[in-house]
Amino acid sequence: MKLTRRVRQILANYESDNPGSKTNLARILMQGRLGGSGHLLILPVDQGFEHGPARSFAPNPEAYDPHYHFRLAIDAGLSAYAAPLGMIEAGAASFAGAIPTILKVNSSNSHATTKDQAITGSVADALRLGCSAIGFTIYPGSDDAFEMFEEIRDLAEEAKDAGLAVVVWSYPRGGNLSKEGETAIDVTAYAAHMAALLGAHIIKVKPPTASIEQPEAKKVYEEQGIDVSTLTARIAHVVQCCFNARRLVVFSGGGARGTDALLDEIREIRDGGATGSIIGRNTFQRPRAEALAMLDSIIGIYRGRG
Amino acid sequence: MKLTRRVRQILANYESDNPGSKTNLARILMQGRLGGSGHLLILPVDQGFEHGPARSFAPNPEAYDPHYHFRLAIDAGLSAYAAPLGMIEAGAASFAGAIPTILKVNSSNSHATTKDQAITGSVADALRLGCSAIGFTIYPGSDDAFEMFEEIRDLAEEAKDAGLAVVVWSYPRGGNLSKEGETAIDVTAYAAHMAALLGAHIIKVKPPTASIEQPEAKKVYEEQGIDVSTLTARIAHVVQCCFNARRLVVFSGGGARGTDALLDEIREIRDGGATGSIIGRNTFQRPRAEALAMLDSIIGIYRGRG
Amino acid sequence: MKLTRRVRQILANYESDNPGSKTNLARILMQGRLGGSGHLLILPVDQGFEHGPARSFAPNPEAYDPHYHFRLAIDAGLSAYAAPLGMIEAGAASFAGAIPTILKVNSSNSHATTKDQAITGSVADALRLGCSAIGFTIYPGSDDAFEMFEEIRDLAEEAKDAGLAVVVWSYPRGGNLSKEGETAIDVTAYAAHMAALLGAHIIKVKPPTASIEQPEAKKVYEEQGIDVSTLTARIAHVVQCCFNARRLVVFSGGGARGTDALLDEIREIRDGGATGSIIGRNTFQRPRAEALAMLDSIIGIYRGRG
Amino acid sequence: MKLTRRVRQILANYESDNPGSKTNLARILMQGRLGGSGHLLILPVDQGFEHGPARSFAPNPEAYDPHYHFRLAIDAGLSAYAAPLGMIEAGAASFAGAIPTILKVNSSNSHATTKDQAITGSVADALRLGCSAIGFTIYPGSDDAFEMFEEIRDLAEEAKDAGLAVVVWSYPRGGNLSKEGETAIDVTAYAAHMAALLGAHIIKVKPPTASIEQPEAKKVYEEQGIDVSTLTARIAHVVQCCFNARRLVVFSGGGARGTDALLDEIREIRDGGATGSIIGRNTFQRPRAEALAMLDSIIGIYRGRG
Amino acid sequence: MKLTRRVRQILANYESDNPGSKTNLARILMQGRLGGSGHLLILPVDQGFEHGPARSFAPNPEAYDPHYHFRLAIDAGLSAYAAPLGMIEAGAASFAGAIPTILKVNSSNSHATTKDQAITGSVADALRLGCSAIGFTIYPGSDDAFEMFEEIRDLAEEAKDAGLAVVVWSYPRGGNLSKEGETAIDVTAYAAHMAALLGAHIIKVKPPTASIEQPEAKKVYEEQGIDVSTLTARIAHVVQCCFNARRLVVFSGGGARGTDALLDEIREIRDGGATGSIIGRNTFQRPRAEALAMLDSIIGIYRGRG
């Protein structure tokens, strides 16, 4: 599969990586219906770990079956499928080679008493399961943030040596952050930047609000006239904070809601220059046909149609 | 890329392998214009090591450039490209993700004073270079055969742990073998079987002649009426010896010669049930346009056209 | 490049180091427009991690691009460029060999709830990225200071074995220190001395104020008549506290402000016998032309002109 | 030191290497009076090991002192200095940072009873001594060639991981090779090609004669009309065999002889497109002034003057 | 004990060594009655291993007791005592700190069927026994020479890391060497040079004869008019071959014989610029009083008296 000019431009930004990591990035970038466009649409199914199975899968009981998600991601023509160890183990052989997988190597859950995650997968797991990348969540702001940063540093070094790609979910929370601050524009842009500094190839953050959390930041945003008035402007700012777009950045779809609202948001995200979206609950909590239709619309948006 | 039924059937035969190795086998089986058919057409460029650069590339001087071979394999829609360390290093980043690569991890040369090969690549090299498989040559019959068997056993174990595929070139020579015996049907079938027994995912042998080398084997071939009268019959016998077709087996194209003779031979190989062909000199020693035309014909043959 | 007498004198002070660490120190000391003078001017860009991207780069948006800083440091003729992992990865191949780099291997951020830093880089990272040194921040006084000391001890041992240089940012804070005490002359001199004791080759501290934090220290400073009345006198004291000038010590440029004030301060720092300056925000938050002009003036000051 | 366009083009050919190895290649390519030109002139002093001290240094007794060679290489403005462990240890601190060094990590001697070399240095030695590269000799054709290939494969992997460059001396000898064959054009081109396949960044071979050793090769050279009539044509052929000039290739100066003959040969080597020369005996066996004059002439030739 | 200027000059030649190795060299150089002079007189007792106990100790039965040798070396005011593992273990606690010890870490014996030695001690042994150095024998010219070189390379790296000194016994034998050639001047100078290249701090060779073994060397010795007519001239040549006297070189006392002959030889060795002597059999095979008298004379010679 000859790489497109756009994908080659993107890979050139990963200038310190070995051909193995570039190969796995290329696999993700060339996969599915957005393949070659430089855009990504990823299905993450870590909700079961994060929120419990019933909260995650009861709205669409087929989704209790790990094969359901592989099949959905493939049939929808997505770029990659991300999930924790057990979910990948349960389908990796049946769907070997059909879609790049991202092994989520740390996980939290709704019983957790700290803003931290447990390491629940390894680079060796990713290799034996044929994954193209590891995924790791950091919680900037949390009391455990430094420990999480040190964990991803170790895992990223090992993953890059083995020619894998590294995806970082950067979700500010805990510590001195207000609830609103978790998605504030300054906090989100900072979180994305920290993921880039930690060596992430692909960065996942939430679509930011216009709120500004840190007083020192507020001053700068105002003085410098950084436009945070629209989601598109905020996305553009986050993309700039990812090494001036030298790193791929995808935005989560957030809580379950109506399709139109979601698509409108994705149009704004696209217009801000985002690499793409990573949409879990809004995908697998819908009936399959509806989910496929919605994903088709999202792909259309990223392909510039709609 | 949804796997075809045929590819899923093939992968099912590798039932002890982890999803990583299956993923890499799937990548090779789904690549190029034979992708999904269950057939393979591989470009190997280890001739430079084996016979020297002038003997390999002077007939088509563009082939001195390692990028030439990557480009040729991609443009022709082949299944994979196999080469020693330096050749892969010289293009692995430029062509990352464009075609599965097989790192040839041992190599001989025409100055060699023993029927052996040096280990010239590692599993870690294969991972950092984004390869889908390692390739290894054994010389059944050689005084060094046991040592070579032990080397591939070690490397195959490590490769399989890391989710790579393992391709074994099985070329009988040395020891008590006559020159004619190196391609005798009994010796070739035996060599393919030993490669399967050593855990190869993909086996490469030469198209066998009707000659029978070992007296004990000759007795059985005659008593049991094993048909070795045509190349197609002999190929069918070799395929049967590869765990009754549970392992993929590809046949080399041999020394440079006329296109018609080559295509005729490949038709016979196909009719015998071979997985496909692995054709080096006959590809890169022709001018590019001619090579592309020839590969197009071969692909047509394996797709059942011609 | 023949080393100057001055640089050879400096290297002789690192008498327990292997030739590898001396080589990397020499590379830094011989680089750029101060090369050979024994003075250093270093560009550190860890502000993105420490203060967030908008606060760091919005005043000069070109600075969002990691390549901007490599180019600026090279074009200005600086001695070295220091940054965290992601920033170095994003440009290390494009600018390989053009300027010595210092991999900042620990990092804090403005969400941190402790006076600590996370380890965000390794010696192996520094080697694969072609860096000449690792950089590490300690917070003398912090509740986590001992742990930080233990971390740099481990990393410095590994770095020195591998022939790298070690740069320590010594920034007192936390614990019983008052805000004013963080830059008090006794605290700064003590912090610099502790960095030297921990085995730093190059020490970075802030220009100290005339304040004296610790009562026991105050008594001695007064009894012994240590001159802390001018910045030049205080710098001279800090330099003396770095093994009587046997270790290189550079001073940070502090918060953004006017060029004249900055240059005046640097004249005083130079007159105190400092090795040089390490100036981040005051460099990259100015427009490029202005930054180059300012760096030219600073180089002029260290070369004795101005 | 801003890299020249030519050096950046060269580094781009090492597309699978990490920025560390690129940095060390850049250091060598930017050093001395040929710095930035893409040409190299290297001083190797392994003669003491290979032929004994008197045969090496008696003609110019100053050369018994290891410092002599560092100083000569620096004063002449050469690209790098290559020597075995003890020679590097004896001067690495005195000349730290003044010139890139290449640690020769295997060595033979004139008492040897096999065509082999002993491993006499390690990657850890190279790092602690501040070297930019390791150097390793292979003897293609020798009964020990496969073992030597396996040794350099291991050492090269380790060196590249640590960001060092890898220089391979490829000297055919032993086994079935005739004395004349050791420098035959087919054998030399093949030896250079094998070094490239083993992953060498820089390849050193001897200037080839017009002799052709292997009958199978002879046939091809004649059929394909490969011009071997002049040294320039032969050099061009060797360069082509080093991945179509994607790898740097330097030619040794051979036995001691008159300056004019040597310079004439180097003009032919240059005209053939060689990267440069690596000249030991012809340098250090002359009185210093004479050696400097000769090296000045060689530099002039590679800079296109003369 | 303040180091003398002479010892400081000597230590400066070990410029790549860490202070640990320098400390242990200093201990040996400052020990005993030659302490500070730059001369060494070492007692080696490896004869028991090499020739058997009766041949070694029967002439002076007190010498069967390992304590005898420690005591003799201390009482005579020697520089160091060298012996294999068991001999050191048998006295290291009783004489802890009284004299620097050199653990001979390989050993041969008179039953040996190859010109090789067994590794019979480790760096860890040397450390636990409080030794200042390891000692190692190489047999240049032997069929096993390359293996021995690789062993000392490994051991020397480990010893130097641990701050020990490294003493190499370089005794040509085996392979193509004639019996006379083992002590020929060209062979001895070459053997000393190889030990230096392998990284030895202290080199031990036998006093050379005027014989020249290698025809290629003979030509050079004659052409260059290298004076080998007297032992003093030959010693001077060997010293020059040890990096122009940058490495310490001691000469063995050879077979047992009369005191006068021995002292005459040592005068010549001293006049040639040797560092000193290492005398085993001629010491411990004499009655203690006689040995002490003889050692007193040798010390007198090296102190310039006699």
Side-chain angles (χ1 to χ4, degrees), chain E residues 68-90:
Chain E
Y68 175 81
H69 303 284
F70 278 93
R71 208 171 281 122
L72 182 65
I74 294 163
D75 292 349
L78 305 191
S79 310
Y81 167 55
L85 185 71
M87 291 288 274
I88 298 287
E89 285 186 330

Side-chain angles (χ1 to χ4, degrees), chain B residues 33-34 267 270 296-306:
Chain B
R33 292 176 55 214
L34 287 172
R267 268 181 213 101
R270 175 202 62 190
D296 180 69
S297 300
I298 296 175
I299 287 169
I301 290 170
Y302 279 113
R303 294 177 73 175
R305 297 182 280 101

